[in-house]
Amino acid sequence: TLKTIQSRLNEPDVIPEEVFKMIRRQVALWKGTEMEKFLRPETLFNKTKCDGYYGGRDLPTNPGKPNHEKGF
């Protein structure tokens, strides 16, 4: 698991603080849903999925509604 996370953190243009935004967004999207079971490092930091999650880190979790997710 740590190797997978470290691999993503070592990629160019990946900023650790932005990774936390990615994680918070996925938690906000998936918590309380069927997808919650995938809130694990193997999913969030898998090379084939991580790029998409990281790329969407600034997107709203509920389009059209204010984003109030501040905690983790």
Side-chain angles (χ1 to χ4, degrees):
T1 298
L2 292 175
K3 284 176 103 174
T4 302
I5 295 169
Q6 191 62 51
S7 294
R8 300 297 79 76
L9 292 173
N10 287 336
E11 291 182 3
D13 302 324
V14 172
I15 301 164
E17 292 80 12
E18 297 293 306
V19 172
F20 285 112
K21 287 171 67 173
M22 173 197 81
I23 294 167
R24 283 191 294 270
R25 181 172 188 274
Q26 292 310 122
V27 169
L29 287 171
W30 293 353
K31 189 79 171 165
T33 72
E34 181 69 22
M35 295 299 289
E36 184 173 8
K37 64 186 172 196
F38 297 111
L39 288 172
R40 56 188 186 179
E42 294 84 2
T43 302
L44 296 177
F45 292 94
N46 179 295
K47 177 60 178 161
T48 60
K49 300 289 185 183
C50 187
D51 290 342
Y53 302 145
Y54 188 76
R57 67 193 177 278
D58 290 320
L59 295 174
T61 55
N62 293 315
K65 295 182 181 179
N67 190 352
H68 296 292
E69 295 86 23
K70 299 290 184 200
F72 178 64

